[in-house]
Amino acid sequence: MNDHKKELEGLKRLESQERLGGMPPERLLDLAGVRNHDDVLDIGAGGGYFTFSAAGRTKGRVYAVDSSSVMLDVLRSRARDLEKANVEVAEGSAEHLPLADGSVDVAIASLLLHILQSPEEGIREMCRVLKPGGRGLVVEWLHPREDGKPGHRIPLETMKLYLDACGAERVHEDIWTDTYYSIVFQKGSRK
């Protein structure tokens, strides 16, 4: 199977009804406080798990950033099909976001930071692009891998340390179906 097909197969798994039920995007967007005119950033947007729900609840810009050309094509196609003119698709990575400092009200990184070489750099970038008082939403795996292999997990306590290091105030924490955790945080006015 070529890489293009593998990515599309992976997308089907990520958008399954099981995932939607266990970690509903609308509920997470409620917790993050996405509202009327917020500018929202979906980092590692994939097929738009959060992008299109966010675009339906704000008149602001929704930036869907991904590093995969396959996912960027999927995002552009879905934005057209769903007639979401407020969605702006952009190539970029969590460590190098293609946005200016203080440019968004809400930044989302869902099941992404654990794959980075430096997850704390991803958190710093989220904080950089958030406006003072802006809100971030991080979603990650709760438990170590079942196969016992190292890596690809960020324990909840470690994530809290990353957020503290960038001056973020943790606002809300949740556990979802004993599989994922989410943290909503707010950027202080000093950073």
Side-chain angles (χ1 to χ4, degrees):
M1 186 182 292
N2 68 31
D3 288 343
H4 181 85
K5 286 185 180 180
K6 281 183 186 178
E7 284 191 65
L8 291 175
E9 284 299 314
L11 182 60
K12 284 181 187 175
R13 189 179 72 256
L14 292 172
E15 296 179 339
S16 70
Q17 285 303 313
E18 181 182 350
R19 168 82 46 95
L20 286 166
M23 190 178 63
E26 289 295 334
R27 187 122 174 266
L28 283 156
L29 292 171
D30 285 344
L31 289 173
V34 175
R35 49 188 182 263
N36 299 341
H37 297 282
D38 285 342
D39 291 322
V40 178
L41 168 61
D42 186 2
I43 306 165
Y49 192 83
F50 288 100
T51 300
F52 299 107
S53 291
R57 62 170 53 200
T58 181
K59 291 179 176 64
R61 303 297 307 160
V62 177
Y63 300 96
V65 174
D66 207 287
S67 60
S68 161
S69 62
V70 173
M71 291 303 115
L72 294 171
D73 288 345
V74 168
L75 287 162
R76 287 183 188 105
S77 176
R78 288 180 175 177
R80 261 191 319 275
D81 293 348
L82 296 169
E83 298 178 352
K84 296 294 182 188
N86 63 333
V87 171
E88 187 172 314
V89 177
E91 184 175 358
S93 70
E95 301 98 326
H96 303 286
L97 294 169
L99 287 115
D101 294 0
S103 56
V104 296
D105 300 289
V106 179
I108 301 165
S110 177
L111 301 177
L112 169 74
L113 296 171
H114 68 273
I115 65 172
L116 302 180
Q117 189 74 19
S118 175
E120 57 274 23
E121 182 61 31
I123 293 292
R124 280 194 296 272
E125 273 291 276
M126 285 180 80
C127 289
R128 179 186 68 77
V129 301
L130 281 170
K131 296 174 183 175
R135 299 164 310 281
L137 168 65
V138 173
V139 179
E140 278 298 336
W141 299 101
L142 182 60
H143 300 292
R145 290 172 52 126
E146 289 181 13
D147 60 13
K149 292 182 180 178
H152 290 299
R153 296 294 188 263
I154 303 172
L156 178 59
E157 293 306 315
T158 302
M159 184 64 74
K160 290 178 184 181
L161 293 174
Y162 293 160
L163 291 167
D164 291 348
C166 92
E169 176 190 341
R170 294 186 311 269
V171 176
H172 192 84
E173 296 173 24
D174 276 298
I175 305 297
W176 300 87
T177 64
D178 196 41
T179 304
Y180 318 101
Y181 66 83
S182 66
I183 301 176
V184 175
F185 66 91
Q186 186 165 20
K187 178 180 177 176
S189 57
R190 70 186 201 293
K191 295 228 175 193

